[in-house]
Amino acid sequence: SKYSNEKTRGRKAKPELKNRPDCLPRLEGQWRRTPVPKPLPNGHHCQPMNRSIFPLSTVSPAAERIRFILGEDDDGPAPPQLFTELDELLSVDGQEMEWKETARWIKFEEKVEKGGERWSKPHVATLSLHSLFELRTCIEKGTIMLDLEASTLPQMITDNQIEIGQLKAELKDKVMYTLLRKHRHQTKKSNLRSLADIGKTVSSANSPTTTPRNLTSTSLNDVSDKPEKDQLKNKFMKKLPRDAEASNVLVGEVDFLDAPFVAFVRLQQAVMLGALTEVPVPTRFLFILLGPKGKAKSYHEIGRAIATLMSDEVFHDIAYKAKDRQDLLAGIDEFLDEVIVLPPGEWDPAIRIEPPKSLPSSDKRSVNSNFSLSGKNMYAGGDSQMNGDMPHDGGHGGGHAVGEELRKTGKFCGGLKLDIKRKAPFFVSDFTDAFHIQALSAIMFIYLGTVTNAITFGGLLGDATENMQGVLESFLGTAIAGGVFCLLGGQPLIILSSTGPVLVFERLLFNFSRDNEFDYLEFRLWIGLWSAFFCLLLVATDASYLVQYFTRFTEEGFSCLISFIFIYDAFKKMIKLAHHYPINSDFRMEYVTQYDCLCMAPAPSNATWSSLSRTECLKYNGELVGKACDFVPDITLMSFILFFGTYTCSMFLKKFKTSPFFPTTVRKLISDFAIILAILIFCGVDMLIGVDTPKLLVPSEFKPTSPNRGWFVSLFGGNPWWVYLASALPALLVTILIFMDQQITAVIVNRKEHKLKKGAGYHLDLFWVAVLLIICSFMGLPWYVAATVISIAHIDSLKMETETSAPGEQPKFLGVREQRVTGVCVFILTGLSVFMAPVLKFIPMPVLYGVFLYMGVASLNGVQFMDRLKLLLMPAKHQPDLVYLRHVPLRKVHLFTFMQILCLALLWILKSTVAAIIFPVMVRHLCVEMLLMMFTAS
């Protein structure tokens, strides 16, 4: 039904017309056959469409042909990476002519410097337009041999040239002698063996040795499966993937030719051609250009042109799939369509252009229109969205895809069942995928952040509830809830933790219970049970499908607010530390003799009170008298040095993988263990200086913080019966808080840019949060929900990049190491921290506060709101070339940013008051109102 007009005639369309090169696509996704007796002058087989029927296409004929070529066999494996080497025929050390390597390509060009001792830095190859036209002429008139057998390579090339009349028969031996000259690579200064002497095959083992001038009989013996020792020692192999193949370009001038000798060869199977290539990879392509004397520079530029084309993604694919000369010419024409010309008088051609940090996708070139070969709209959720021209959210503001995990099934627990079915096949791989050293660094980093968070919130809970919940309860609850969730949850990369709104609710609940003489833990137990029931009800009714309506505005506002809270709390703790250990700004070295501090007895006594320590003096109700009693030297200053030093060192080491120092493996290892190294460095600094800075305090005994409670809470008996029913009202607020905190964090974690491959589990996550809510309520432990900042830090510590990248190319982000081991280990270690007090007591608290600051700042990376904040302080001419600035007026961008700042300020005020328990509701309400306002304004 998609082809021609045969549908209206009642006849079945012919599917074989789909990929025919003599057919053109219609905008409606239909096809029309246009008989063409012979190729057009431009090498294209298709006639232009009737302009009265079809709109005028902006796609060039070459691009049309390219689309047909690349559309065939699209389901097959992608062509392998190509290593291209340019060899030139030169006289080396005054001896005979040899093939000398002068440049190489994977993505970018590297030249042998004039001294011949080193490679240049990778740079963008700048070509002359004239060399591209000359290359096109070479391909158009030279010998094109596709899918050639390697064993007959030199013989068939020369015979073909003789057959078409481009080479005289008497010059055959000279050409072959030239082609089989020795090769000298940059990796070895002495001469390597020539092709004629390498890798004798079994069939030629008994062949007689011939002189160099008579190479006809040995030209079949150049194939070798065994690489040279010098090739195997080449460290450049680390830059190439395992399945890489080679493309060799040989250019040079000779004195016996009157016309150029040009051949482009694609071998049927890639084979090792001895020492032809500097690295031990099989050769698939050969481009040979020999010409008369006097045009060496021109030949060099043509060689650079074809080598650059072979490193181009689109032409690279064309070279593998081309069926004839016209396909190669179409590839060159398409390359010329995309070439940007720089005027020679406005820039210096000798300048080497640095490789860009990110390369544009080649998808626009391979499918350069609004319809694809299948007749479907490419923008209907295809890969082209990643190029920045289309929204990333499929119609919503968020960066999460609306997949099957967010669809309302309409069945009882339908979403939960689908989540279990989706995650079950990956359960084993969730453990095996963790066997990597990167997982070890993630465990240590997240463990320290989790321990610090548990101690902080445990201390605050102890103050708010008169130690009915304290540090030990925080440790135990974190270990149980986090461990179970990471082991059985739908998204094990999420880290559970206590949150600020929960802390505010606990304080209000405890005060209410004390004022009304309720049993706080029993009242809290019933609230937890009701809240768990409501959460399970949301799971059973697939309420998590509402997550798809969370916009990027919601996600960014929530993420920024939580990050700002982390940053604010880090500085708040340091300021509190400074108040506890004040610096005596009135200290003067001149009056040091007048500074003392004595312990005075509360009543006349014969005892020697002055010999008592400060602690003993206060213990026996003595009085400290003297100007030096309140002087605490250097602790605050040293604490701030540790605080900022840990943060700065963490940021520096995390970015060390892009440093020019040390090998790639060392840089990556330092980057993976950046936070751990920073903590160890500044723990060492603290021990070296010897100042008594405050250290991490961990409970040393496993028992409830308050002696008035046990490990399990009674269900009845402490409160009136009606309290059990009335608990449903505050439980409703807790449910809203948990649902919003959990699901917004899950949305941020499951964003498309994280490239998670094992799917999400929104319903399954909420189910286990509800179950853990029941467990923690019965045990009197804090309630836990997804922690945004620590979860983002967890993902950041597990990001994977390509192990091999071309010189000058930035490593590509592959995704996240999705597994359950890191989270489970973190929470097991958290539970065991009670028994590790002798080791943890050496970690200064300012160092851990520096880790808090790092996590808060690092989680803001990539948030568009932060980029728009910078725009407020930038003149227009210095603003970066952001995509949205091309389409949205700057005043509207600033208006949107101001409104977002206003919302965040309002939410911050709410967070700081008793209204914090309705914080998630306000987030949702403000986001909806803001979007409506912005749409109205536009």
Side-chain angles (χ1 to χ4, degrees):
S1 61
K2 290 185 178 181
Y3 307 100
S4 186
N5 291 323
E6 294 181 350
K7 176 183 176 183
T8 59
R9 300 174 188 173
R11 295 197 300 271
K12 187 177 180 180
K14 297 180 179 179
E16 65 271 11
L17 297 179
K18 181 176 179 180
N19 289 326
R20 286 282 300 273
D22 58 344
C23 300
L24 284 178
R26 291 177 57 183
L27 293 180
E28 294 84 2
Q30 297 177 340
W31 297 79
R32 183 182 68 177
R33 185 174 184 179
T34 306
V36 181
K38 59 181 180 179
L40 298 177
N42 60 4
H44 194 258
H45 287 269
C46 297
Q47 296 285 5
M49 292 180 288
N50 189 338
R51 294 178 60 183
S52 63
I53 301 177
F54 303 104
L56 181 62
S57 175
T58 59
V59 182
S60 68
E64 287 282 0
R65 189 182 185 97
I66 293 305
R67 185 173 341 124
F68 282 113
I69 298 170
L70 299 184
E72 297 178 355
D73 302 327
D74 202 26
D75 296 334
Q81 180 80 49
L82 272 182
F83 167 78
T84 305
E85 177 181 319
L86 173 61
D87 289 2
E88 297 186 55
L89 191 62
L90 300 172
S91 175
V92 181
D93 300 332
Q95 301 176 4
E96 293 187 6
M97 302 294 284
E98 297 176 351
W99 292 106
K100 186 177 186 304
E101 182 182 16
T102 58
R104 65 185 180 190
W105 285 256
I106 299 180
K107 288 286 186 181
F108 302 99
E109 181 179 13
E110 294 177 90
K111 294 181 178 179
V112 176
E113 300 288 17
K114 288 186 177 180
E117 297 295 329
R118 53 168 286 176
W119 286 104
S120 70
K121 288 186 65 176
H123 55 276
V124 178
T126 52
L127 307 173
S128 67
L129 195 59
H130 184 67
S131 66
L132 288 170
F133 286 125
E134 287 187 316
L135 172 62
R136 192 185 190 284
T137 302
C138 289
I139 297 296
E140 189 174 18
K141 297 181 178 180
T143 297
I144 305 297
M145 308 184 74
L146 304 179
D147 299 330
L148 186 67
E149 290 289 344
S151 59
T152 59
L153 181 60
Q155 182 79 27
M156 290 196 66
I157 294 175
T158 52
D159 288 348
N160 183 273
Q161 288 273 338
I162 295 173
E163 182 180 344
I164 62 177
Q166 293 189 0
L167 179 67
K168 296 178 181 179
E170 58 270 19
L171 297 178
K172 176 180 178 180
D173 289 345
K174 292 184 178 180
V175 170
M176 292 186 65
Y177 172 75
T178 303
L179 293 178
L180 298 175
R181 295 303 299 157
K182 296 176 182 178
H183 285 259
R184 180 190 293 266
H185 298 297
Q186 180 63 15
T187 55
K188 183 178 175 67
K189 294 182 180 180
S190 61
N191 292 343
L192 292 173
R193 293 186 296 167
S194 69
L195 288 176
D197 300 328
I198 294 172
K200 307 299 182 182
T201 59
V202 176
S203 60
S204 62
N206 298 325
S207 300
T209 304
T210 58
T211 61
R213 289 294 179 182
N214 185 16
L215 297 175
T216 304
S217 61
T218 60
S219 62
L220 305 179
N221 305 325
D222 302 329
V223 179
S224 171
D225 293 330
K226 186 177 180 181
E228 291 285 304
K229 292 182 180 179
D230 297 296
Q231 292 175 302
L232 294 174
K233 294 179 182 178
N234 195 341
K235 296 181 180 180
F236 193 73
M237 277 297 296
K238 296 180 180 180
K239 299 292 184 181
L240 293 169
R242 292 183 179 180
D243 62 343
E245 296 178 351
S247 170
N248 293 94
V249 179
L250 308 176
V251 299
E253 57 178 3
V254 293
D255 54 6
F256 56 82
L257 289 177
D258 298 327
F261 174 94
V262 181
F264 180 89
V265 179
R266 182 182 69 200
L267 300 179
Q268 187 174 15
Q269 296 293 334
V271 295
M272 192 76 67
L273 295 179
L276 182 64
T277 311
E278 69 160 296
V279 286
V281 294
T283 295
R284 174 61 72 99
F285 296 95
L286 274 173
F287 178 83
I288 301 171
L289 170 59
L290 296 176
K293 287 280 189 178
K295 293 186 177 181
K297 183 178 180 181
S298 176
Y299 303 151
H300 171 75
E301 292 300 322
I302 293 173
R304 290 184 61 245
I306 184 63
T308 304
L309 257 71
M310 296 303 291
S311 65
D312 177 71
E313 289 187 24
V314 175
F315 189 86
H316 162 272
D317 293 348
I318 291 296
Y320 271 95
K321 296 185 178 182
K323 292 181 172 59
D324 53 30
R325 184 192 309 271
Q326 299 303 325
D327 290 346
L328 295 174
L329 291 174
I332 297 176
D333 290 339
E334 189 277 338
F335 185 86
L336 286 168
D337 289 341
E338 300 294 328
V339 160
I340 304 299
V341 178
L342 295 175
E346 299 180 12
W347 79 296
D348 184 3
I351 294 176
R352 290 173 179 170
I353 303 176
E354 291 284 336
K357 291 184 178 180
S358 60
L359 294 173
S361 173
S362 62
D363 292 342
K364 285 186 177 181
R365 292 172 55 193
S366 57
V367 186
N368 193 15
S369 73
N370 291 341
F371 53 88
S372 69
L373 287 174
S374 62
K376 297 180 181 179
N377 193 329
M378 284 300 295
Y379 293 133
D383 295 337
S384 57
Q385 292 181 8
M386 300 307 292
N387 295 330
D389 293 339
M390 298 294 291
H392 288 255
D393 52 12
H396 304 286
H400 53 280
V402 182
E404 62 175 2
E405 63 267 18
L406 293 179
R407 291 175 186 161
K408 187 173 177 62
T409 63
K411 301 178 181 179
F412 179 76
C413 292
L416 177 63
K417 294 176 182 177
L418 289 177
D419 282 351
I420 295 174
K421 290 180 180 179
R422 186 183 308 109
K423 301 299 294 186
F426 299 107
F427 191 75
V428 175
S429 66
D430 283 341
F431 293 91
T432 57
D433 290 348
F435 291 101
H436 194 275
I437 194 170
Q438 189 182 26
L440 178 62
S441 67
I443 290 171
M444 299 174 69
F445 168 41
I446 301 302
Y447 163 69
L448 289 172
T450 303
V451 165
T452 307
N453 202 46
I455 290 175
T456 302
F457 279 100
L460 295 174
L461 275 172
D463 294 339
T465 63
E466 295 181 0
N467 286 329
M468 296 304 288
Q469 296 182 75
V471 174
L472 190 66
E473 286 80 7
S474 180
F475 268 79
L476 182 59
T478 301
I480 294 175
V484 171
F485 184 87
C486 287
L487 184 63
L488 302 173
Q491 183 49 268
L493 296 177
I494 291 176
I495 300 296
L496 297 191
S497 177
S498 298
T499 61
V502 170
L503 176 63
V504 174
F505 182 85
E506 296 277 14
R507 181 184 290 113
L508 293 174
L509 183 63
F510 179 81
N511 293 336
F512 180 82
S513 301
R514 183 183 56 190
D515 296 342
N516 293 276
E517 298 181 353
F518 288 164
D519 187 323
Y520 160 68
L521 290 179
E522 185 182 296
F523 189 20
R524 181 179 179 275
L525 168 61
W526 278 95
I527 293 175
L529 293 177
W530 275 109
S531 182
F533 170 74
F534 292 145
C535 287
L536 292 174
L537 193 62
L538 293 174
V539 172
T541 56
D542 293 350
S544 294
Y545 86 96
L546 296 172
V547 169
Q548 63 183 299
Y549 299 109
F550 288 173
T551 63
R552 183 171 286 274
F553 187 99
T554 307
E555 298 169 28
E556 284 192 352
F558 185 82
S559 179
C560 287
L561 185 66
I562 302 301
S563 299
F564 290 155
I565 291 174
F566 261 68
I567 296 170
Y568 170 77
D569 284 346
F571 281 102
K572 182 180 177 181
K573 291 177 175 64
M574 289 302 300
I575 293 173
K576 184 178 180 180
L577 185 148
H579 285 303
H580 193 268
Y581 300 98
I583 294 177
N584 188 0
S585 58
D586 296 328
F587 176 82
R588 298 293 182 272
M589 182 63 71
E590 181 65 24
Y591 305 117
V592 67
T593 56
Q594 302 177 17
Y595 297 149
D596 58 4
C597 182
L598 299 176
C599 179
M600 306 298 293
S605 173
N606 295 328
T608 309
W609 283 77
S610 58
S611 63
L612 298 179
S613 67
R614 180 178 183 276
T615 303
E616 293 172 338
C617 181
L618 296 176
K619 178 180 179 181
Y620 297 114
N621 297 322
E623 182 181 2
L624 296 172
V625 179
K627 293 183 178 180
C629 291
D630 296 328
F631 176 50
V632 184
D634 303 327
I635 288 182
T636 297
L637 179 60
M638 188 65 197
S639 295
F640 273 95
I641 291 175
L642 296 176
F643 173 69
F644 286 111
T646 303
Y647 165 75
T648 305
C649 187
S650 298
M651 295 293 285
F652 171 76
L653 294 179
K654 196 65 181 176
K655 298 177 181 178
F656 197 76
K657 61 185 174 184
T658 59
S659 168
F661 304 104
F662 301 109
T664 303
T665 305
V666 176
R667 295 200 306 267
K668 192 174 184 306
L669 199 63
I670 292 175
S671 178
D672 289 341
F673 286 86
I675 292 83
I676 305 303
L677 288 174
I679 292 173
L680 292 177
I681 289 171
F682 283 92
C683 285
V685 170
D686 178 73
M687 296 177 66
L688 185 64
I689 301 299
V691 176
D692 189 20
T693 53
K695 301 298 191 295
L696 179 64
L697 297 178
V698 181
S700 56
E701 294 182 343
F702 187 76
K703 64 180 182 179
T705 306
S706 173
N708 299 323
R709 58 156 293 182
W711 281 120
F712 292 96
V713 180
S714 175
L715 195 60
F716 302 102
N719 295 321
W721 66 269
W722 57 268
V723 174
Y724 308 142
L725 301 178
S727 301
L729 184 59
L732 193 59
L733 287 176
V734 175
T735 303
I736 297 173
L737 184 150
I738 289 176
F739 180 82
M740 295 296 291
D741 272 12
Q742 175 67 38
Q743 302 298 43
I744 291 179
T745 301
V747 165
I748 294 172
V749 168
N750 292 309
R751 277 182 175 174
K752 288 191 299 185
E753 49 261 40
H754 291 152
K755 296 185 178 181
L756 302 182
K757 298 179 176 62
K758 296 184 179 180
Y762 295 97
H763 310 278
L764 185 58
D765 288 345
L766 190 59
F767 170 79
W768 282 112
V769 168
V771 172
L772 293 169
L773 191 63
I774 297 173
I775 296 173
C776 291
S777 298
F778 268 110
M779 297 185 66
L781 305 177
W783 294 327
Y784 293 92
V785 73
T788 307
V789 172
I790 300 182
S791 298
I792 294 175
H794 190 206
I795 286 177
D796 187 60
S797 65
L798 292 170
K799 286 184 175 179
M800 298 182 295
E801 294 178 336
T802 49
E803 295 182 1
T804 59
S805 57
E809 181 186 26
Q810 297 292 330
K812 294 181 180 179
F813 173 61
L814 299 177
V816 179
R817 202 174 299 280
E818 299 178 67
Q819 37 72 49
R820 300 179 184 272
V821 175
T822 54
V824 172
C825 290
V826 162
F827 292 110
I828 290 176
L829 289 175
T830 303
L832 295 175
S833 296
V834 177
F835 308 104
M836 294 192 295
V839 177
L840 298 177
K841 68 180 182 180
F842 292 106
I843 302 178
M845 287 304 295
V847 170
L848 297 180
Y849 296 154
V851 175
F852 256 48
L853 179 62
Y854 167 80
M855 288 194 294
V857 174
S859 63
L860 292 174
N861 290 337
V863 177
Q864 190 191 90
F865 172 66
M866 301 306 297
D867 295 333
R868 286 188 276 108
L869 276 181
K870 297 175 186 177
L871 293 178
L872 294 173
L873 305 176
M874 289 184 187
K877 65 179 180 179
H878 295 302
Q879 291 174 355
D881 186 20
L882 301 172
V883 174
Y884 53 82
L885 291 181
R886 298 183 182 184
H887 305 286
V888 183
L890 187 60
R891 57 183 177 81
K892 288 195 175 183
V893 173
H894 288 338
L895 176 62
F896 189 83
T897 306
F898 276 122
M899 292 302 176
Q900 201 165 11
I901 293 173
L902 182 63
C903 289
L904 285 174
L906 183 56
L907 291 174
W908 186 275
I909 295 172
L910 285 173
K911 176 201 75 71
S912 305
T913 65
V914 294
I917 57 176
I918 61 172
F919 161 71
V921 183
M922 293 302 298
V923 171
R924 182 69 180 156
H925 177 70
L926 285 174
C927 292
V928 173
E929 291 295 327
M930 281 303 306
L931 286 177
L932 290 175
M933 182 186 301
M934 294 309 299
F935 279 124
T936 304
S938 61

